[in-house]
Amino acid sequence: MDVTSVVIRIGSGLGHAKPANVNILPALFEDEVKAVIELASFNEFNETHQTFLDQLMESVGIVLNTIAATMRTEGLLKQSQLLTQELQARQTELTRKQEELHATNEELQEKAQLLENEKKQVEAKNLEIEMARRALEEKAEQLALTSKYKSEFLANMSHELRTPLNSLLILSKLLADNAQGNLNDKQVEFARTINSAGSDLLSLINDILDLSKVESGTVTIEVGDMPMQNLKLHMERTFRQLAADKGLDFNVQFDGKLPETIRTDEKRLQQIVLNLLSNAFKFTSKGGVTLGVRCAEEGWSPSHPVLRNASRAIEISVKDTGIGIPQDKQKLIFEAFQQADGTTSRKYGGTGLGLSISREIARLLGGELQVRSKPGEGSTFTLYVPLEAQAATGSAAAGTPARYENTGAVVPTALATSFEVNDDRDELGDAPFVLIVEDDPTFASILLDAAHEAGLKGVVSTAGAGTLAMARKMQPSAITLDLGLADIDGFVLLDLLKHDPDTRHIPIHVISGAGGSGSVLRMGAFGVTEKPAERADLVTVFGALRDEAASEKPRRRRKRSDSAPPAARPIQELGGAKVLIVDDDIRNIFSLTSVLESYGVEVLHAERGKDGILILEQTPGVDVALIDIMMPEMDGYETMQQIRQRPQLASLPLIAVTAKAMKGDRQKCLDAGASGYIAKPVDVELLLALLRVWIARAREGASAQAAMAMPQQAAE
């Protein structure tokens, strides 16, 4: 048995497989194996060799452990190789992913750079937008300021034009009246022509003022029931003769399906139609003009702020066969002071204000004005208005001219309450009726009910302005008058009514809480009832007015313009009154002096506010002072304030005279100390009424003070 076999057997006996490197073992354990063989051969062991055997076994264990370790190492090597391969595969995957991440990172960096660039561009755009916004705000402020300056300029120009016109109208009327009979017929005709031309100029000035009011947002509209038949008759009467004079056809076509009435401002609507017809006849030399009115369900702008919500509207068209308007001028003609032919050699005159004002008034009525035209074929102007007027609203800032393409501006519109009371104006017939002048709609309704109970129909006017014209036109059986009206002194209105030849015969019953019952009776009032009044008393008042109306001849009362009825009391006149005129325009002083002196008035005058105050301080017995508002150095406001600060002049009646008739001017004058207010050109009848009322008040006040002073003087 060789050493190798022994080792193998030993290993087998220990339960191990054949070592992989068995060939190296004989050399390592040759001596030990030989010793083992020798011991085995003799099969004799003694105790002395036991230690050696133990050592041998220990060595064999070490060898076996080494063999086992070697075998484990080979397994680990295989695992290591597998792990290495896996590691290499993962490393390859990681490298690939790293490359992908690198590419992604580069892409993200590019995108980040793009975003940064876009951010900078957005910031730059935002900066541009902010700068543009600021520029627009500045422009809007400039436009608002420009509009304000323009309105002020127009108002001031209106004043400057009205001032000389005031003298022209007053003096030409004095000449035309020829009270002294020293002018021949030709001279009287000259004076009437001058007065007529002056009236035309006043109309133009009013147009300019209308434009400034429209653009400044201070124009007002009065909404009421307008019978369509009224519009038809008015236009036929106005233009039928003009058409005949020019040899033109004039066709008026009102559709039979039209409503009997619509809710609108009759005066303003007629102003638009009159302007359109005037232009049509002006620019038409052959053919004719057609006024057509019908109900329409379309035709207006779909984006119109009011009509877009309407299912139908009133369509008023004015068609002519005149010169026509080029396409490029059709927008221009609606601008102020612009015409289709604006050259110095133009054939047709005018200022170019009519269409501009008409379009803006149409907007105020909630409507729209359009034009269609071809040169040489004529023009058609079409006005669409709602069946019930509504002011257009939008987003335009105050001061911005209102346009449909920029329905921005909310134009402030004061709707008069004149027709808020449902009265009987459309159902009068030949029945007796009373004109109720009362600015409180609630109390006006109470008065109307009382009139009905007394057997009278009633028409309500909640504003003093226009009452005289209404009374002239409608000829009521009687009038009830509130003295505390907001827009005019009720005493002045009473005086006007009792001095006008067409209304002085109408019995007027004053129903007011303003007091002064004695003075109104002296002014010619039929009776006085003070507020608050019982309903039974009001019914009694209207019954008395009914009986007074019935005492006249039945159906229409004869106008007694030559004298007042027996019931009227003597009317205060102006003879012996002393009036101071303070005005820097000598022409106004001359014209007003000429008028007042014809009524027996003594006139003093001053061209400066300071001079006027000095005259008042040094001249006793001045009954009233007329103060012009626009004067150099010290204007009318300051002049009146200075007068009111002097105790001896504090109660002197002061009447402000101004041509700057803009909204708020009347109240501004009253706040400065004025007793009354009148606009230029001066309405002579209104001026006389103001003087009569205020002189009478001043004299009554002076008499009362004198009566109070007499007992005191006697006691002293």
PDB file of all heavy atoms in Angstrom, residues 87-118:
ATOM      1  N   LEU A  87     -21.774  41.683 -12.431  1.00  0.00           N
ATOM      2  CA  LEU A  87     -21.334  43.050 -12.165  1.00  0.00           C
ATOM      3  C   LEU A  87     -20.993  43.777 -13.449  1.00  0.00           C
ATOM      4  O   LEU A  87     -21.334  44.947 -13.638  1.00  0.00           O
ATOM      5  CB  LEU A  87     -20.128  43.037 -11.219  1.00  0.00           C
ATOM      6  CG  LEU A  87     -19.563  44.401 -10.830  1.00  0.00           C
ATOM      7  CD1 LEU A  87     -20.612  45.240 -10.114  1.00  0.00           C
ATOM      8  CD2 LEU A  87     -18.335  44.234  -9.935  1.00  0.00           C
ATOM      9  N   GLN A  88     -20.311  43.066 -14.328  1.00  0.00           N
ATOM     10  CA  GLN A  88     -19.965  43.682 -15.610  1.00  0.00           C
ATOM     11  C   GLN A  88     -21.218  44.032 -16.422  1.00  0.00           C
ATOM     12  O   GLN A  88     -21.299  45.094 -17.044  1.00  0.00           O
ATOM     13  CB  GLN A  88     -19.057  42.729 -16.408  1.00  0.00           C
ATOM     14  CG  GLN A  88     -17.657  42.574 -15.824  1.00  0.00           C
ATOM     15  CD  GLN A  88     -16.843  41.539 -16.565  1.00  0.00           C
ATOM     16  OE1 GLN A  88     -17.396  40.750 -17.340  1.00  0.00           O
ATOM     17  NE2 GLN A  88     -15.531  41.508 -16.322  1.00  0.00           N
ATOM     18  N   ALA A  89     -22.211  43.095 -16.382  1.00  0.00           N
ATOM     19  CA  ALA A  89     -23.452  43.363 -17.098  1.00  0.00           C
ATOM     20  C   ALA A  89     -24.168  44.597 -16.520  1.00  0.00           C
ATOM     21  O   ALA A  89     -24.658  45.464 -17.245  1.00  0.00           O
ATOM     22  CB  ALA A  89     -24.359  42.139 -17.039  1.00  0.00           C
ATOM     23  N   ARG A  90     -24.176  44.648 -15.153  1.00  0.00           N
ATOM     24  CA  ARG A  90     -24.835  45.785 -14.504  1.00  0.00           C
ATOM     25  C   ARG A  90     -24.072  47.088 -14.783  1.00  0.00           C
ATOM     26  O   ARG A  90     -24.666  48.152 -14.955  1.00  0.00           O
ATOM     27  CB  ARG A  90     -24.945  45.549 -13.009  1.00  0.00           C
ATOM     28  CG  ARG A  90     -25.946  44.459 -12.657  1.00  0.00           C
ATOM     29  CD  ARG A  90     -26.167  44.349 -11.180  1.00  0.00           C
ATOM     30  NE  ARG A  90     -27.158  43.336 -10.859  1.00  0.00           N
ATOM     31  CZ  ARG A  90     -27.577  43.059  -9.622  1.00  0.00           C
ATOM     32  NH1 ARG A  90     -27.072  43.737  -8.605  1.00  0.00           N
ATOM     33  NH2 ARG A  90     -28.470  42.120  -9.416  1.00  0.00           N
ATOM     34  N   GLN A  91     -22.724  46.913 -14.763  1.00  0.00           N
ATOM     35  CA  GLN A  91     -21.926  48.110 -15.048  1.00  0.00           C
ATOM     36  C   GLN A  91     -22.191  48.620 -16.460  1.00  0.00           C
ATOM     37  O   GLN A  91     -22.288  49.831 -16.702  1.00  0.00           O
ATOM     38  CB  GLN A  91     -20.434  47.784 -14.867  1.00  0.00           C
ATOM     39  CG  GLN A  91     -19.545  49.005 -14.989  1.00  0.00           C
ATOM     40  CD  GLN A  91     -18.109  48.668 -14.677  1.00  0.00           C
ATOM     41  OE1 GLN A  91     -17.788  47.513 -14.424  1.00  0.00           O
ATOM     42  NE2 GLN A  91     -17.240  49.641 -14.696  1.00  0.00           N
ATOM     43  N   THR A  92     -22.331  47.636 -17.375  1.00  0.00           N
ATOM     44  CA  THR A  92     -22.675  48.039 -18.751  1.00  0.00           C
ATOM     45  C   THR A  92     -24.031  48.741 -18.792  1.00  0.00           C
ATOM     46  O   THR A  92     -24.204  49.775 -19.470  1.00  0.00           O
ATOM     47  CB  THR A  92     -22.701  46.805 -19.661  1.00  0.00           C
ATOM     48  OG1 THR A  92     -21.438  46.158 -19.624  1.00  0.00           O
ATOM     49  CG2 THR A  92     -23.044  47.197 -21.088  1.00  0.00           C
ATOM     50  N   GLU A  93     -25.012  48.173 -18.045  1.00  0.00           N
ATOM     51  CA  GLU A  93     -26.339  48.786 -17.982  1.00  0.00           C
ATOM     52  C   GLU A  93     -26.277  50.180 -17.363  1.00  0.00           C
ATOM     53  O   GLU A  93     -26.913  51.128 -17.831  1.00  0.00           O
ATOM     54  CB  GLU A  93     -27.279  47.888 -17.169  1.00  0.00           C
ATOM     55  CG  GLU A  93     -28.704  48.423 -17.027  1.00  0.00           C
ATOM     56  CD  GLU A  93     -29.451  48.415 -18.339  1.00  0.00           C
ATOM     57  OE1 GLU A  93     -28.998  47.742 -19.293  1.00  0.00           O
ATOM     58  OE2 GLU A  93     -30.494  49.092 -18.425  1.00  0.00           O
ATOM     59  N   LEU A  94     -25.467  50.279 -16.274  1.00  0.00           N
ATOM     60  CA  LEU A  94     -25.314  51.582 -15.620  1.00  0.00           C
ATOM     61  C   LEU A  94     -24.671  52.597 -16.544  1.00  0.00           C
ATOM     62  O   LEU A  94     -25.042  53.767 -16.569  1.00  0.00           O
ATOM     63  CB  LEU A  94     -24.484  51.436 -14.340  1.00  0.00           C
ATOM     64  CG  LEU A  94     -25.189  50.767 -13.151  1.00  0.00           C
ATOM     65  CD1 LEU A  94     -24.206  50.539 -12.009  1.00  0.00           C
ATOM     66  CD2 LEU A  94     -26.354  51.624 -12.670  1.00  0.00           C
ATOM     67  N   THR A  95     -23.705  52.140 -17.286  1.00  0.00           N
ATOM     68  CA  THR A  95     -23.045  53.042 -18.242  1.00  0.00           C
ATOM     69  C   THR A  95     -24.041  53.540 -19.277  1.00  0.00           C
ATOM     70  O   THR A  95     -24.069  54.727 -19.631  1.00  0.00           O
ATOM     71  CB  THR A  95     -21.884  52.309 -18.933  1.00  0.00           C
ATOM     72  OG1 THR A  95     -20.955  51.854 -17.935  1.00  0.00           O
ATOM     73  CG2 THR A  95     -21.181  53.225 -19.915  1.00  0.00           C
ATOM     74  N   ARG A  96     -24.870  52.553 -19.758  1.00  0.00           N
ATOM     75  CA  ARG A  96     -25.875  52.939 -20.739  1.00  0.00           C
ATOM     76  C   ARG A  96     -26.869  53.944 -20.144  1.00  0.00           C
ATOM     77  O   ARG A  96     -27.201  54.961 -20.762  1.00  0.00           O
ATOM     78  CB  ARG A  96     -26.624  51.692 -21.222  1.00  0.00           C
ATOM     79  CG  ARG A  96     -27.637  51.984 -22.352  1.00  0.00           C
ATOM     80  CD  ARG A  96     -28.340  50.702 -22.751  1.00  0.00           C
ATOM     81  NE  ARG A  96     -29.129  50.161 -21.662  1.00  0.00           N
ATOM     82  CZ  ARG A  96     -30.336  50.623 -21.297  1.00  0.00           C
ATOM     83  NH1 ARG A  96     -30.864  51.628 -21.948  1.00  0.00           N
ATOM     84  NH2 ARG A  96     -30.974  50.068 -20.302  1.00  0.00           N
ATOM     85  N   LYS A  97     -27.314  53.668 -18.911  1.00  0.00           N
ATOM     86  CA  LYS A  97     -28.259  54.572 -18.269  1.00  0.00           C
ATOM     87  C   LYS A  97     -27.620  55.924 -17.967  1.00  0.00           C
ATOM     88  O   LYS A  97     -28.257  56.966 -18.042  1.00  0.00           O
ATOM     89  CB  LYS A  97     -28.809  53.948 -16.988  1.00  0.00           C
ATOM     90  CG  LYS A  97     -29.772  52.794 -17.251  1.00  0.00           C
ATOM     91  CD  LYS A  97     -30.437  52.316 -15.982  1.00  0.00           C
ATOM     92  CE  LYS A  97     -31.485  51.236 -16.283  1.00  0.00           C
ATOM     93  NZ  LYS A  97     -32.174  50.771 -15.080  1.00  0.00           N
ATOM     94  N   GLN A  98     -26.325  55.853 -17.612  1.00  0.00           N
ATOM     95  CA  GLN A  98     -25.620  57.109 -17.360  1.00  0.00           C
ATOM     96  C   GLN A  98     -25.568  57.960 -18.625  1.00  0.00           C
ATOM     97  O   GLN A  98     -25.756  59.178 -18.585  1.00  0.00           O
ATOM     98  CB  GLN A  98     -24.204  56.826 -16.850  1.00  0.00           C
ATOM     99  CG  GLN A  98     -23.452  58.082 -16.440  1.00  0.00           C
ATOM    100  CD  GLN A  98     -22.085  57.753 -15.882  1.00  0.00           C
ATOM    101  OE1 GLN A  98     -21.631  56.604 -15.963  1.00  0.00           O
ATOM    102  NE2 GLN A  98     -21.416  58.746 -15.324  1.00  0.00           N
ATOM    103  N   GLU A  99     -25.321  57.264 -19.738  1.00  0.00           N
ATOM    104  CA  GLU A  99     -25.308  57.990 -21.004  1.00  0.00           C
ATOM    105  C   GLU A  99     -26.693  58.562 -21.315  1.00  0.00           C
ATOM    106  O   GLU A  99     -26.830  59.700 -21.779  1.00  0.00           O
ATOM    107  CB  GLU A  99     -24.842  57.062 -22.124  1.00  0.00           C
ATOM    108  CG  GLU A  99     -23.370  56.668 -22.021  1.00  0.00           C
ATOM    109  CD  GLU A  99     -22.978  55.643 -23.063  1.00  0.00           C
ATOM    110  OE1 GLU A  99     -23.908  55.141 -23.738  1.00  0.00           O
ATOM    111  OE2 GLU A  99     -21.785  55.345 -23.196  1.00  0.00           O
ATOM    112  N   GLU A 100     -27.745  57.723 -21.016  1.00  0.00           N
ATOM    113  CA  GLU A 100     -29.101  58.220 -21.225  1.00  0.00           C
ATOM    114  C   GLU A 100     -29.404  59.419 -20.326  1.00  0.00           C
ATOM    115  O   GLU A 100     -30.007  60.413 -20.756  1.00  0.00           O
ATOM    116  CB  GLU A 100     -30.112  57.102 -20.970  1.00  0.00           C
ATOM    117  CG  GLU A 100     -30.084  55.986 -22.004  1.00  0.00           C
ATOM    118  CD  GLU A 100     -31.078  54.900 -21.675  1.00  0.00           C
ATOM    119  OE1 GLU A 100     -31.720  55.005 -20.601  1.00  0.00           O
ATOM    120  OE2 GLU A 100     -31.228  53.955 -22.472  1.00  0.00           O
ATOM    121  N   LEU A 101     -28.989  59.277 -19.041  1.00  0.00           N
ATOM    122  CA  LEU A 101     -29.193  60.384 -18.109  1.00  0.00           C
ATOM    123  C   LEU A 101     -28.449  61.634 -18.557  1.00  0.00           C
ATOM    124  O   LEU A 101     -28.947  62.755 -18.438  1.00  0.00           O
ATOM    125  CB  LEU A 101     -28.744  59.990 -16.700  1.00  0.00           C
ATOM    126  CG  LEU A 101     -29.652  59.008 -15.955  1.00  0.00           C
ATOM    127  CD1 LEU A 101     -29.001  58.569 -14.652  1.00  0.00           C
ATOM    128  CD2 LEU A 101     -31.008  59.648 -15.666  1.00  0.00           C
ATOM    129  N   HIS A 102     -27.272  61.407 -19.087  1.00  0.00           N
ATOM    130  CA  HIS A 102     -26.483  62.538 -19.566  1.00  0.00           C
ATOM    131  C   HIS A 102     -27.200  63.231 -20.736  1.00  0.00           C
ATOM    132  O   HIS A 102     -27.290  64.470 -20.781  1.00  0.00           O
ATOM    133  CB  HIS A 102     -25.098  62.057 -20.004  1.00  0.00           C
ATOM    134  CG  HIS A 102     -24.208  63.165 -20.480  1.00  0.00           C
ATOM    135  ND1 HIS A 102     -23.674  64.105 -19.621  1.00  0.00           N
ATOM    136  CD2 HIS A 102     -23.761  63.486 -21.727  1.00  0.00           C
ATOM    137  CE1 HIS A 102     -22.943  64.962 -20.310  1.00  0.00           C
ATOM    138  NE2 HIS A 102     -22.974  64.592 -21.598  1.00  0.00           N
ATOM    139  N   ALA A 103     -27.717  62.376 -21.632  1.00  0.00           N
ATOM    140  CA  ALA A 103     -28.449  62.943 -22.769  1.00  0.00           C
ATOM    141  C   ALA A 103     -29.711  63.672 -22.291  1.00  0.00           C
ATOM    142  O   ALA A 103     -30.045  64.774 -22.766  1.00  0.00           O
ATOM    143  CB  ALA A 103     -28.808  61.840 -23.762  1.00  0.00           C
ATOM    144  N   THR A 104     -30.414  63.023 -21.323  1.00  0.00           N
ATOM    145  CA  THR A 104     -31.614  63.647 -20.773  1.00  0.00           C
ATOM    146  C   THR A 104     -31.283  64.958 -20.077  1.00  0.00           C
ATOM    147  O   THR A 104     -32.003  65.954 -20.196  1.00  0.00           O
ATOM    148  CB  THR A 104     -32.305  62.689 -19.787  1.00  0.00           C
ATOM    149  OG1 THR A 104     -32.623  61.472 -20.450  1.00  0.00           O
ATOM    150  CG2 THR A 104     -33.582  63.317 -19.220  1.00  0.00           C
ATOM    151  N   ASN A 105     -30.185  64.943 -19.353  1.00  0.00           N
ATOM    152  CA  ASN A 105     -29.754  66.150 -18.650  1.00  0.00           C
ATOM    153  C   ASN A 105     -29.460  67.278 -19.628  1.00  0.00           C
ATOM    154  O   ASN A 105     -29.835  68.437 -19.404  1.00  0.00           O
ATOM    155  CB  ASN A 105     -28.526  65.837 -17.808  1.00  0.00           C
ATOM    156  CG  ASN A 105     -28.126  67.003 -16.923  1.00  0.00           C
ATOM    157  OD1 ASN A 105     -28.965  67.586 -16.254  1.00  0.00           O
ATOM    158  ND2 ASN A 105     -26.861  67.351 -16.925  1.00  0.00           N
ATOM    159  N   GLU A 106     -28.770  66.896 -20.720  1.00  0.00           N
ATOM    160  CA  GLU A 106     -28.485  67.911 -21.730  1.00  0.00           C
ATOM    161  C   GLU A 106     -29.788  68.460 -22.338  1.00  0.00           C
ATOM    162  O   GLU A 106     -29.935  69.664 -22.563  1.00  0.00           O
ATOM    163  CB  GLU A 106     -27.600  67.316 -22.830  1.00  0.00           C
ATOM    164  CG  GLU A 106     -26.164  67.046 -22.389  1.00  0.00           C
ATOM    165  CD  GLU A 106     -25.325  66.498 -23.524  1.00  0.00           C
ATOM    166  OE1 GLU A 106     -25.925  66.118 -24.553  1.00  0.00           O
ATOM    167  OE2 GLU A 106     -24.091  66.457 -23.392  1.00  0.00           O
ATOM    168  N   GLU A 107     -30.763  67.526 -22.561  1.00  0.00           N
ATOM    169  CA  GLU A 107     -32.046  67.955 -23.105  1.00  0.00           C
ATOM    170  C   GLU A 107     -32.781  68.871 -22.133  1.00  0.00           C
ATOM    171  O   GLU A 107     -33.362  69.893 -22.522  1.00  0.00           O
ATOM    172  CB  GLU A 107     -32.897  66.725 -23.422  1.00  0.00           C
ATOM    173  CG  GLU A 107     -34.227  67.057 -24.094  1.00  0.00           C
ATOM    174  CD  GLU A 107     -35.040  65.807 -24.423  1.00  0.00           C
ATOM    175  OE1 GLU A 107     -34.497  64.696 -24.263  1.00  0.00           O
ATOM    176  OE2 GLU A 107     -36.202  65.965 -24.828  1.00  0.00           O
ATOM    177  N   LEU A 108     -32.734  68.492 -20.817  1.00  0.00           N
ATOM    178  CA  LEU A 108     -33.371  69.324 -19.800  1.00  0.00           C
ATOM    179  C   LEU A 108     -32.713  70.691 -19.700  1.00  0.00           C
ATOM    180  O   LEU A 108     -33.378  71.708 -19.508  1.00  0.00           O
ATOM    181  CB  LEU A 108     -33.328  68.622 -18.441  1.00  0.00           C
ATOM    182  CG  LEU A 108     -34.247  67.411 -18.285  1.00  0.00           C
ATOM    183  CD1 LEU A 108     -34.004  66.730 -16.942  1.00  0.00           C
ATOM    184  CD2 LEU A 108     -35.712  67.830 -18.384  1.00  0.00           C
ATOM    185  N   GLN A 109     -31.406  70.699 -19.829  1.00  0.00           N
ATOM    186  CA  GLN A 109     -30.696  71.982 -19.801  1.00  0.00           C
ATOM    187  C   GLN A 109     -31.105  72.863 -20.978  1.00  0.00           C
ATOM    188  O   GLN A 109     -31.289  74.074 -20.834  1.00  0.00           O
ATOM    189  CB  GLN A 109     -29.178  71.743 -19.816  1.00  0.00           C
ATOM    190  CG  GLN A 109     -28.632  71.205 -18.491  1.00  0.00           C
ATOM    191  CD  GLN A 109     -27.138  70.968 -18.547  1.00  0.00           C
ATOM    192  OE1 GLN A 109     -26.542  70.982 -19.628  1.00  0.00           O
ATOM    193  NE2 GLN A 109     -26.541  70.736 -17.393  1.00  0.00           N
ATOM    194  N   GLU A 110     -31.267  72.213 -22.142  1.00  0.00           N
ATOM    195  CA  GLU A 110     -31.712  72.978 -23.301  1.00  0.00           C
ATOM    196  C   GLU A 110     -33.114  73.540 -23.077  1.00  0.00           C
ATOM    197  O   GLU A 110     -33.399  74.707 -23.380  1.00  0.00           O
ATOM    198  CB  GLU A 110     -31.690  72.093 -24.549  1.00  0.00           C
ATOM    199  CG  GLU A 110     -30.298  71.715 -25.027  1.00  0.00           C
ATOM    200  CD  GLU A 110     -30.347  70.786 -26.228  1.00  0.00           C
ATOM    201  OE1 GLU A 110     -31.476  70.453 -26.652  1.00  0.00           O
ATOM    202  OE2 GLU A 110     -29.279  70.400 -26.721  1.00  0.00           O
ATOM    203  N   LYS A 111     -33.990  72.646 -22.522  1.00  0.00           N
ATOM    204  CA  LYS A 111     -35.343  73.112 -22.243  1.00  0.00           C
ATOM    205  C   LYS A 111     -35.350  74.215 -21.180  1.00  0.00           C
ATOM    206  O   LYS A 111     -36.119  75.181 -21.275  1.00  0.00           O
ATOM    207  CB  LYS A 111     -36.225  71.948 -21.798  1.00  0.00           C
ATOM    208  CG  LYS A 111     -36.548  70.972 -22.917  1.00  0.00           C
ATOM    209  CD  LYS A 111     -37.491  69.880 -22.441  1.00  0.00           C
ATOM    210  CE  LYS A 111     -37.865  68.936 -23.591  1.00  0.00           C
ATOM    211  NZ  LYS A 111     -38.778  67.875 -23.152  1.00  0.00           N
ATOM    212  N   ALA A 112     -34.517  74.048 -20.170  1.00  0.00           N
ATOM    213  CA  ALA A 112     -34.422  75.073 -19.133  1.00  0.00           C
ATOM    214  C   ALA A 112     -33.976  76.399 -19.728  1.00  0.00           C
ATOM    215  O   ALA A 112     -34.473  77.477 -19.367  1.00  0.00           O
ATOM    216  CB  ALA A 112     -33.466  74.626 -18.030  1.00  0.00           C
ATOM    217  N   GLN A 113     -33.034  76.304 -20.659  1.00  0.00           N
ATOM    218  CA  GLN A 113     -32.562  77.515 -21.312  1.00  0.00           C
ATOM    219  C   GLN A 113     -33.674  78.159 -22.147  1.00  0.00           C
ATOM    220  O   GLN A 113     -33.856  79.385 -22.149  1.00  0.00           O
ATOM    221  CB  GLN A 113     -31.355  77.192 -22.207  1.00  0.00           C
ATOM    222  CG  GLN A 113     -30.697  78.418 -22.823  1.00  0.00           C
ATOM    223  CD  GLN A 113     -30.125  79.342 -21.768  1.00  0.00           C
ATOM    224  OE1 GLN A 113     -29.517  78.882 -20.800  1.00  0.00           O
ATOM    225  NE2 GLN A 113     -30.329  80.637 -21.940  1.00  0.00           N
ATOM    226  N   LEU A 114     -34.432  77.270 -22.848  1.00  0.00           N
ATOM    227  CA  LEU A 114     -35.556  77.782 -23.625  1.00  0.00           C
ATOM    228  C   LEU A 114     -36.597  78.454 -22.722  1.00  0.00           C
ATOM    229  O   LEU A 114     -37.118  79.526 -23.041  1.00  0.00           O
ATOM    230  CB  LEU A 114     -36.216  76.639 -24.414  1.00  0.00           C
ATOM    231  CG  LEU A 114     -35.419  76.070 -25.591  1.00  0.00           C
ATOM    232  CD1 LEU A 114     -36.128  74.862 -26.181  1.00  0.00           C
ATOM    233  CD2 LEU A 114     -35.242  77.136 -26.671  1.00  0.00           C
ATOM    234  N   LEU A 115     -36.886  77.781 -21.577  1.00  0.00           N
ATOM    235  CA  LEU A 115     -37.823  78.371 -20.627  1.00  0.00           C
ATOM    236  C   LEU A 115     -37.320  79.701 -20.087  1.00  0.00           C
ATOM    237  O   LEU A 115     -38.086  80.652 -19.912  1.00  0.00           O
ATOM    238  CB  LEU A 115     -38.086  77.406 -19.472  1.00  0.00           C
ATOM    239  CG  LEU A 115     -38.941  76.176 -19.795  1.00  0.00           C
ATOM    240  CD1 LEU A 115     -38.987  75.234 -18.598  1.00  0.00           C
ATOM    241  CD2 LEU A 115     -40.354  76.594 -20.178  1.00  0.00           C
ATOM    242  N   GLU A 116     -36.052  79.762 -19.823  1.00  0.00           N
ATOM    243  CA  GLU A 116     -35.459  81.016 -19.344  1.00  0.00           C
ATOM    244  C   GLU A 116     -35.600  82.109 -20.389  1.00  0.00           C
ATOM    245  O   GLU A 116     -35.946  83.258 -20.073  1.00  0.00           O
ATOM    246  CB  GLU A 116     -33.986  80.783 -18.996  1.00  0.00           C
ATOM    247  CG  GLU A 116     -33.283  82.005 -18.427  1.00  0.00           C
ATOM    248  CD  GLU A 116     -33.811  82.411 -17.062  1.00  0.00           C
ATOM    249  OE1 GLU A 116     -34.414  81.549 -16.384  1.00  0.00           O
ATOM    250  OE2 GLU A 116     -33.622  83.577 -16.686  1.00  0.00           O
ATOM    251  N   ASN A 117     -35.339  81.708 -21.646  1.00  0.00           N
ATOM    252  CA  ASN A 117     -35.481  82.684 -22.730  1.00  0.00           C
ATOM    253  C   ASN A 117     -36.935  83.140 -22.866  1.00  0.00           C
ATOM    254  O   ASN A 117     -37.216  84.328 -23.044  1.00  0.00           O
ATOM    255  CB  ASN A 117     -34.985  82.084 -24.047  1.00  0.00           C
ATOM    256  CG  ASN A 117     -33.489  81.825 -24.045  1.00  0.00           C
ATOM    257  OD1 ASN A 117     -32.751  82.428 -23.256  1.00  0.00           O
ATOM    258  ND2 ASN A 117     -33.031  80.939 -24.914  1.00  0.00           N
ATOM    259  N   GLU A 118     -37.858  82.132 -22.791  1.00  0.00           N
ATOM    260  CA  GLU A 118     -39.275  82.483 -22.872  1.00  0.00           C
ATOM    261  C   GLU A 118     -39.703  83.370 -21.708  1.00  0.00           C
ATOM    262  O   GLU A 118     -40.492  84.301 -21.865  1.00  0.00           O
ATOM    263  CB  GLU A 118     -40.130  81.217 -22.908  1.00  0.00           C
ATOM    264  CG  GLU A 118     -40.000  80.427 -24.206  1.00  0.00           C
ATOM    265  CD  GLU A 118     -40.838  79.160 -24.185  1.00  0.00           C
ATOM    266  OE1 GLU A 118     -41.484  78.911 -23.143  1.00  0.00           O
ATOM    267  OE2 GLU A 118     -40.835  78.425 -25.186  1.00  0.00           O
TER     268      GLU A 118
END
